[in-house]
């Protein structure tokens, strides 16, 4: 099923997982999926990163298994910056052959060791390529607090509109910790004429190092009430985990009350945390 169709029926609740490190073996992700599948999310998305294997074979396989073995719709993430058209065609063919219908089309982060091929400079070029050559439902990323490389929020929204015009059917946001950023972004993109479903990306913060890394990487604002939590519970793993879950539940409750199209939970492959959050919000969805 194309994810865009699920929004027509309900408030979507979806999960994100990532392929585990190669040295951990694949069993670990299937143990995680065994536990996450109890939640019956509307779909599970599988990221594409350094543990995705050659030409994304692990991302493709896990996304195919989510659908085939667990009976849950899946999305495969696909960052394009380091790939040639030929390689992207190979990966898209393999997604299609594995019955995957949904692709999150991304540029990918640019780090010191990224070697851009020049075939796809931005996500919009990948989106157009997919739209012209395949029948996938296309998802794109968006940034309530503006993408860190962007010149301004207005520029970022203009490029987002372009991604939608090129064929993105549904958007998922970067994580945010202050819902007011999401509400103001939602208003601005509506004014810009973007009318596809937009899912709010929620990351339950359960350890201090993780949030410090995320804030640095994504340029996410830390609201004072969140800073107080870090200060008070930062050195107590269990207390921080519980406070992080409570914080995420609060965010989600407010978002659903204010009519969000969907919640995309960055599970960090932690089924315990995902379950606790789901149990707290399942009657709201
Ligand atoms: P783009 O849409 O290309 O935007 C990147 C920057 O360029 C922005 O500043 C934008 O304003 C600007 N821009 C866009 N189009 C143009 C244009 N035509 N001309 C000039 N400037 C332009 N990364 C991974 O490697 N693997 C993953 O699995 C993954 N999953 C993600 C899932 C979500 C929900 C999100 C939000 C991010 C994910 N990322 C992932 C990270 C993502 O790759 C980075 O945030 C990356 O820096 C930008 O990707 P993008 O697709 O948004 O890029």
């Amino acid at each position: 099923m194309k994810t865009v169709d699920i929004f027509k029926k309900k408030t979507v609740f979806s999960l994100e997982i990532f392929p585990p490190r190669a040295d951990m073996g694949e069993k670990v992700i299937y143990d995680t999926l065994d536990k996450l599948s109890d939640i019956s999310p509307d779909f599970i998305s599988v990221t594409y990163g350094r543990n995705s294997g050659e030409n994304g074979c692990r991302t493709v396989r896990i996304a195919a298994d989510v659908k085939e073995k667990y009976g849950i719709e899946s999305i495969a993430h696909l960052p394009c910056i380091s790939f040639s058209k030929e390689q992207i065609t190979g990966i898209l063919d393999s997604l299609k052959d594995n019955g995957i219908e949904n692709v999150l089309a991304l540029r990918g982060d640019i780090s010191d060791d990224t070697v851009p091929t020049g075939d796809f400079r931005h996500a919009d070029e990948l989106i157009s390529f997919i739209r012209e050559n395949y029948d996938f439902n296309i998802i794109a990323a968006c940034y309530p607090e503006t993408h860190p490389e962007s010149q301004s929020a207005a520029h970022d929204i203009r490029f987002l509109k372009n991604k939608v015009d090129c064929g993105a059917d549904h958007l998922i946001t970067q994580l945010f910790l202050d819902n007011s950023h999401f509400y103001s972004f939602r208003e601005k993109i509506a004014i810009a004429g973007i009318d596809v479903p937009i899912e709010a990306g929620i990351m339950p913060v359960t350890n201090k190092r993780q949030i410090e890394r995320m804030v640095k990487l994504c340029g996410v604002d830390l609201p004072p009430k969140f800073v107080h939590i870090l200060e008070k519970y930062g050195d107590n793993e269990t207390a921080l985990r519980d406070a992080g879950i409570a914080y995420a539940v609060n965010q989600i409750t407010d978002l659903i009350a204010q009519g969000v199209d969907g919640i995309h939970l960055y599970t960090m492959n932690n089924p315990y945390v995902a379950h606790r959050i789901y149990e707290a919000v399942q009657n709201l969805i």
Side-chain angles (χ1 to χ4, degrees):
M1 180 186 248
K2 297 187 172 190
T3 57
V4 67
D5 292 329
I6 310 174
F7 293 92
K8 293 174 191 156
K9 299 181 221 152
K10 66 188 287 284
T11 305
V12 164
F13 187 80
S14 62
L15 305 177
E16 179 170 307
I17 59 169
F18 53 83
R21 284 199 329 258
D23 63 349
M24 290 171 82
E26 294 212 340
K27 186 177 174 301
V28 65
I29 195 65
Y30 293 99
D31 290 346
T32 302
L33 279 169
D34 286 344
K35 293 177 189 142
L36 288 176
S37 58
D38 301 350
I39 291 177
S40 300
D42 290 302
F43 63 81
I44 295 181
S45 82
V46 186
T47 68
Y48 193 121
R50 58 170 63 91
N51 299 313
S52 288
E54 193 160 345
N55 294 324
C57 58
R58 295 178 84 211
T59 293
V60 176
R61 192 165 55 246
I62 296 166
D65 285 341
V66 165
K67 190 166 172 161
E68 281 286 308
K69 295 193 180 151
Y70 293 89
I72 297 170
E73 198 44 69
S74 66
I75 293 181
H77 296 210
L78 179 57
C80 59
I81 188 76
S82 310
F83 292 119
S84 64
K85 257 186 193 154
E86 204 183 348
Q87 288 170 310
I88 286 287
T89 302
I91 299 170
L92 289 167
D93 285 349
S94 149
L95 290 170
K96 185 174 150 197
D97 294 345
N98 279 280
I100 293 159
E101 292 177 69
N102 304 290
V103 177
L104 174 44
L106 297 151
R107 182 196 69 181
D109 276 321
I110 300 184
S111 58
D112 293 344
D113 56 359
T114 307
V115 185
T117 63
D119 277 2
F120 300 96
R121 287 160 303 175
H122 285 283
D124 58 344
E125 294 177 347
L126 175 62
I127 293 168
S128 298
F129 182 78
I130 299 175
R131 187 51 82 228
E132 279 158 28
N133 297 289
Y134 295 87
D135 183 34
F136 289 109
N137 178 66
I138 305 171
I139 301 96
C142 63
Y143 303 84
E145 296 177 65
T146 306
H147 186 269
E149 288 165 39
S150 197
Q151 218 175 311
S152 70
H155 277 86
D156 209 27
I157 290 173
R158 205 179 78 211
F159 288 127
L160 181 61
K161 171 78 165 77
N162 182 43
K163 290 203 278 194
V164 173
D165 291 344
C166 289
D169 298 293
H170 142 205
L171 303 172
I172 304 181
T173 76
Q174 178 65 279
L175 73 108
F176 54 89
L177 294 162
D178 180 342
N179 287 359
S180 68
H181 293 301
F182 177 81
Y183 298 131
S184 117
F185 176 68
R186 190 168 63 168
E187 267 175 34
K188 286 184 200 148
I189 67 170
I191 292 166
I194 295 172
D195 62 357
V196 296
I198 168 167
E199 264 192 295
I202 298 294
M203 180 176 285
V205 178
T206 54
N207 92 50
K208 206 174 170 184
R209 252 197 15 246
Q210 167 208 349
I211 188 63
E212 283 163 357
R213 207 181 58 236
M214 286 299 166
V215 166
K216 197 164 160 232
L217 187 71
C218 312
V220 172
D221 177 33
L222 281 185
K225 65 178 175 182
F226 191 83
V227 174
H228 295 319
I229 289 176
L230 281 186
E231 282 169 0
K232 190 156 172 79
Y233 308 116
D235 298 323
N236 179 337
E237 214 178 292
T238 311
L240 184 63
R241 181 197 65 196
D242 287 354
I245 291 170
Y247 193 92
V249 168
N250 243 323
Q251 270 195 286
I252 295 171
T253 305
D254 180 56
L255 286 161
I256 296 176
Q258 302 218 34
V260 73
D261 295 318
I263 300 292
H264 186 65
L265 191 66
Y266 295 105
T267 69
M268 308 306 287
N269 290 1
N270 185 329
Y272 173 81
V273 170
H275 264 278
R276 291 250 329 251
I277 292 174
Y278 177 69
E279 278 154 22
V281 303
Q282 60 182 321
N283 294 326
L284 314 179
I285 299 164

